[in-house]
Amino acid sequence: MTTFTIGHLFAGMGGGALGAQAAKVRIGDAEATFRTVGGVDINAAAAADFEYLTGAPCAVADIHTMQPAELRAAMGETAPDMMLLSPPCMGFSALLSRAKAGEEKYQKLNQLVLEGLFLICSTWDRPPAIIFIENVPRITSRGADLLLKARQLLRDHGYEVTENDYHDCGEIGGLAQHRRRFFMVARDPSRVPNFVYRPGKLRVRACGEV
């Protein structure tokens, strides 16, 4: 069994971490899984829940001001194999009008996409082999300029970048609801030479089935 390490920025209460910890891949006789090394979130209550649910530490910090030394203290002197980011999506969401989303507080939240990536790429001499970002689909329109800068930042650090307008998590997981999300995957081709493939689709089930 190969165990890969994973860290979480904008970790919340640990839903993404629990999913990663539950994931197992088997190809032939080879098996792999994830071990959570830590998280970061601005909300102290969420960080406490993260620690309780995952068994891993979660630093309480603001990514706007967090420094590389603080991230190393939270995640380790060696970068995790993978970093998962779920930046705040309020400014990108269709639930807000364009005028409301243009307010300063939401635009500042939007900048966390770039600030999180810059922090990760600046913290270790050898950043994570894979960086995975998820958000709402409308980031591709309301955050188009940010995504352009994000792609350039990642490519400047040697990453290959794959993105899709959205995946339907209901189809990926065979859930009882449609949940469309934007995914971006950055991989260091020297350590992850394989292409990123889209997952297979499962039937979205009826609520009565679950």
Side-chain angles (χ1 to χ4, degrees):
M1 172 77 74
T2 300
T3 301
F4 295 103
T5 54
I6 184 169
H8 300 265
L9 249 56
F10 317 104
M13 64 184 293
L18 287 175
Q21 289 175 190
K24 268 190 181 177
V25 175
R26 181 181 292 110
I27 301 176
D29 295 330
E31 291 186 353
T33 188
F34 284 110
R35 177 176 63 84
T36 302
V37 296
V40 178
D41 201 89
I42 195 171
N43 186 292
D49 286 342
F50 181 99
E51 293 185 343
Y52 176 77
L53 292 170
T54 69
C58 188
V60 179
D62 185 348
I63 300 301
H64 285 305
T65 57
M66 193 176 196
Q67 298 298 307
E70 296 174 89
L71 186 56
R72 286 194 299 273
M75 303 279 179
E77 290 298 320
T78 300
D81 297 307
M82 178 175 174
M83 188 74 80
L84 191 152
L85 291 78
S86 297
C89 64
M90 289 82 84
F92 304 124
S93 173
L95 295 176
L96 287 184
S97 68
R98 183 172 291 277
K100 189 74 174 176
E103 293 180 2
E104 182 180 357
K105 64 178 180 179
Y106 294 115
Q107 291 300 305
K108 185 177 180 180
L109 285 175
N110 291 353
Q111 290 297 320
L112 287 168
V113 173
L114 278 178
E115 292 172 4
L117 289 174
F118 183 78
L119 177 63
I120 291 169
C121 292
S122 304
T123 293
W124 297 280
D125 292 336
R126 199 181 194 200
I130 295 179
I131 300 174
F132 181 95
I133 304 170
E134 70 87 26
N135 214 278
V136 294
R138 192 159 288 201
I139 192 175
T140 59
S141 54
R142 290 189 174 177
D145 291 343
L146 280 172
L147 290 180
L148 185 66
K149 293 175 182 176
R151 286 190 292 270
Q152 190 59 56
L153 171 66
L154 290 165
R155 287 169 180 152
D156 287 347
H157 284 84
Y159 287 100
E160 296 284 346
V161 181
T162 302
E163 64 183 85
N164 297 96
D165 289 346
Y166 69 84
H167 289 268
D168 188 333
C169 296
E171 293 175 341
I172 294 174
L175 308 179
Q177 67 170 168
H178 289 283
R179 184 166 178 81
R180 294 177 175 85
R181 306 297 288 178
F182 168 83
F183 291 165
M184 176 185 281
V185 182
R187 62 183 174 89
D188 176 356
S190 69
R191 289 177 284 169
V192 187
N194 297 335
F195 292 106
V196 176
Y197 293 93
R198 291 182 70 98
K201 293 183 179 182
L202 302 174
R203 181 176 62 84
V204 176
R205 296 182 289 169
C207 290
E209 294 181 66
V210 295

